[in-house]
Amino acid sequence: MSPLILVVEDETILGDSICTYLEHHGYTATVARSGEEGIRLAEESSPDVAVVDIRLPGLDGLGVLRKLRDVSAATEVVMMTAHASVASAVEAMKAGAFDYLTKPLDLDEVRVVVDKALAHQRMRRELNYLKAREETGGHTAAIVGESQPIQVLRQQIDRIAALESTAGDAPTVLICGETGSGKEMVARAVHYGSPRAKGPFVEINCAAIPSSLLEAELFGYEKGAYTDARAAKPGLFEAADGGTLFLDEIGHMELGLQVKLLKAIEEKSVRRVGGLRPKTFNARIVAATNRDLEVAIAEGSFRPDLYYRIKALTLELPPLRSRGSDIVLLARHFLDHFTRRYGVPVKSLAPDAEAALLTYSWPGNVRELAHLIERAILLHEGPTIAVAHLGLPARSAAATVEVGPGSVHVDFSAGGIRLEEVERQLIRQALAASGWNRGRAAQLLGISKETLRYRMEKYQLQTEG
């Protein structure tokens, strides 16, 4: 959709010339012959930019400018006049004008100023979006869902977020969950629900950056520490001072850096690469992982001392497939979000689409659902999204699993399996066989009690009886 430009000009030839020129260059333009007509058109169409003559019959240009702030606040206003003066320019700018043009007009200059106004409007919208995301996306109310696991999660977040020592320190938090389950949103909820909400929320994905660069990002460096280090740069620990540092996918951090991370967390200080003196910081550390860190410890890829340090408080995110009707609630939420974002007509989900969403296994969790709904909105023009528009993979038959003494046989000729579901069923059967005695069940499965506890929390297996 091309930008809409409203020209408010009582000189017929000039007003029409501006509109014709702008339309020739890809804009949609309309003209109003008076200030009152301009306000009426702005109320009806909310133009992106209004080009307003300062001298108009009846309501003058400054009056139009002030009224536009009420009826179409997002509209950028450019004033034009044949009587240029510093006083009128200052008054227009104080009233909220984006820029000021003088007659006789250069139509190329008009287009340049309109383009600048549109760029400014886009930047302002992006800033407003980011600000709204920071303010609303960081609270537990933004976590969509009414299932029991989500209600418990909200309560845990509220309780953990409020924890601060009398000295102003906050305990570390470990967020565990599958890829796409919403770990970043939970980390933001912890931050914005805490006394540190007005401080910075700094995030980094430990799996997305090579270790050599990750160290410099976290700890910073001094001038000359590297060939290209022409100036000192503070690290993210320092940047997060007074707020929260979110270490996403911490399970992928290499061992050497884990040692330095543990030291920084313990001592609340860091030493920049190439630096001699430590710098203290006061930031809450929130880490997240989609890996089973106990398995990583057993494999030798994660340090147990760091694990026990960061797991002081743990939040377990349920996979989307275990959240029942939350799937439909989230789908409707994303439907509303993306129709607003792309400015497309309101759409709804057909009953067969909602039923299909409920039966799908969602290996990509909430992120996969969001992308699926976004794609359906963009590719389907009708008012209703049916199951055919979702693009869900066809369901296949399930493989059969036979467990014998010391062996497991899977017949994949009938289809595939979900390994996690098999694990869940085995744990449930071991618990049932042991009368829900965790020690005995752990022995039956050949794992530690701590690993069993983690698995029970992961799969929401509650003690019976």
Side-chain angles (χ1 to χ4, degrees):
M1 182 182 294
S2 58
L4 175 60
I5 314 300
L6 171 63
V7 179
V8 186
E9 171 59 70
D10 61 322
E11 295 182 25
T12 302
I13 295 177
L14 178 59
D16 291 344
S17 297
I18 295 172
C19 285
T20 300
Y21 178 85
L22 291 174
E23 289 178 342
H24 178 71
H25 287 84
Y27 302 95
T28 299
T30 185
V31 66
R33 308 299 182 188
S34 68
E36 291 80 3
E37 184 184 5
I39 294 299
R40 179 179 59 79
L41 291 175
E43 287 180 310
E44 294 174 355
S45 58
S46 297
D48 296 294
V49 178
V51 182
V52 183
D53 189 9
I54 203 165
R55 288 180 176 265
L56 294 167
L59 183 66
D60 66 10
L62 287 174
V64 172
L65 172 61
R66 294 188 180 97
K67 283 186 174 293
L68 280 173
R69 299 277 70 83
D70 296 327
V71 303
S72 185
T75 300
E76 297 288 353
V77 182
V78 176
M79 304 300 296
M80 55 183 177
T81 181
H83 307 277
S85 70
V86 174
S88 59
V90 170
E91 189 175 358
M93 293 301 182
K94 284 184 177 179
F98 171 75
D99 208 341
Y100 200 86
L101 293 167
T102 58
K103 297 178 180 178
L105 296 177
D106 180 332
L107 293 181
D108 286 335
E109 183 182 2
V110 172
R111 192 181 74 167
V112 168
V113 172
V114 166
D115 284 342
K116 288 181 178 178
L118 289 168
H120 182 262
Q121 183 187 64
R122 285 192 295 271
M123 181 179 68
R124 189 170 62 177
R125 284 175 176 169
E126 289 174 2
L127 289 173
N128 289 337
Y129 167 75
L130 291 173
K131 182 179 179 182
R133 190 181 75 170
E134 292 291 302
E135 293 176 349
T136 61
H139 296 89
T140 53
I143 301 175
V144 178
E146 297 300 330
S147 63
Q148 182 64 24
I150 291 300
Q151 292 184 40
V152 171
L153 179 64
R154 287 198 194 100
Q155 294 169 2
Q156 292 175 334
I157 291 171
D158 289 337
R159 185 165 59 252
I160 287 174
L163 295 175
E164 292 263 355
S165 72
T166 54
D169 295 326
T172 56
V173 180
L174 177 62
I175 303 171
C176 300
E178 297 179 6
T179 298
S181 56
K183 295 186 290 295
E184 180 188 342
M185 174 174 282
V186 170
R188 289 180 179 276
V190 170
H191 172 73
Y192 288 104
S194 75
R196 298 170 176 266
K198 294 187 180 299
F201 178 85
V202 180
E203 59 182 304
I204 186 169
N205 189 315
C206 300
I209 303 175
S211 286
S212 57
L213 298 179
L214 182 58
E215 180 178 1
E217 285 294 312
L218 288 173
F219 297 95
Y221 53 82
E222 296 291 356
K223 180 180 179 180
Y226 302 106
T227 303
D228 295 327
R230 298 183 177 89
K233 177 185 176 183
L236 298 185
F237 280 102
E238 295 178 63
D241 189 46
T244 300
L245 175 60
F246 175 45
L247 304 173
D248 197 8
E249 301 305 348
I250 193 173
H252 295 275
M253 183 180 288
E254 66 98 21
L255 285 169
L257 195 50
Q258 290 177 31
V259 177
K260 298 179 181 180
L261 173 61
L262 176 61
K263 181 178 174 62
I265 295 174
E266 292 283 2
E267 298 181 358
K268 293 290 183 182
S269 68
V270 293
R271 191 170 68 182
R272 294 179 182 175
V273 177
L276 299 176
R277 290 177 296 183
K279 296 180 179 291
T280 60
F281 67 91
N282 181 7
R284 179 177 217 157
I285 307 300
V286 177
T289 182
N290 63 3
R291 294 188 68 189
D292 184 334
L293 293 185
E294 292 188 356
V295 172
I297 290 171
E299 295 172 346
S301 60
F302 202 84
R303 292 182 61 90
D305 48 3
L306 177 58
Y307 172 63
Y308 293 118
R309 183 62 182 82
I310 63 175
K311 70 174 294 249
L313 297 171
T314 304
L315 290 169
E316 298 281 350
L317 271 63
L320 182 58
R321 60 185 169 275
S322 71
R323 292 175 54 180
S325 60
D326 281 356
I327 296 172
V328 173
L329 291 178
L330 280 162
R332 293 171 180 170
H333 166 76
F334 291 130
L335 200 66
D336 178 68
H337 171 76
F338 287 118
T339 52
R340 290 174 181 272
R341 178 175 176 179
Y342 291 109
V344 298
V346 175
K347 300 178 187 293
S348 61
L349 289 166
D352 66 337
E354 293 188 348
L357 294 176
L358 288 170
T359 57
Y360 182 56
S361 60
W362 300 110
N365 289 289
V366 179
R367 184 184 295 126
E368 182 183 6
L369 174 60
H371 290 167
L372 182 143
I373 295 297
E374 182 180 17
R375 183 177 65 246
I377 287 172
L378 295 176
L379 297 181
H380 177 61
E381 296 182 354
T384 304
I385 294 177
V387 65
H389 306 132
L390 295 175
L392 288 170
R395 297 184 64 185
S396 60
T400 58
V401 181
E402 297 178 1
V403 180
S407 67
V408 176
H409 175 73
V410 181
D411 180 8
F412 286 109
S413 63
I417 63 168
R418 284 197 59 81
L419 186 59
E420 289 185 344
E421 184 58 29
V422 173
E423 182 181 54
R424 184 179 187 277
Q425 293 299 329
L426 287 172
I427 292 172
R428 174 176 284 280
Q429 290 178 33
L431 287 165
S434 64
W436 286 78
N437 180 303
R438 296 190 184 191
R440 176 59 181 153
Q443 289 179 348
L444 291 173
L445 294 166
I447 58 177
S448 68
K449 288 180 64 176
E450 183 66 17
T451 300
L452 177 62
R453 180 199 61 77
Y454 172 80
R455 291 286 196 276
M456 289 178 67
E457 291 177 356
K458 178 179 179 180
Y459 297 124
Q460 283 84 52
L461 295 172
Q462 303 298 322
T463 303
E464 295 182 353

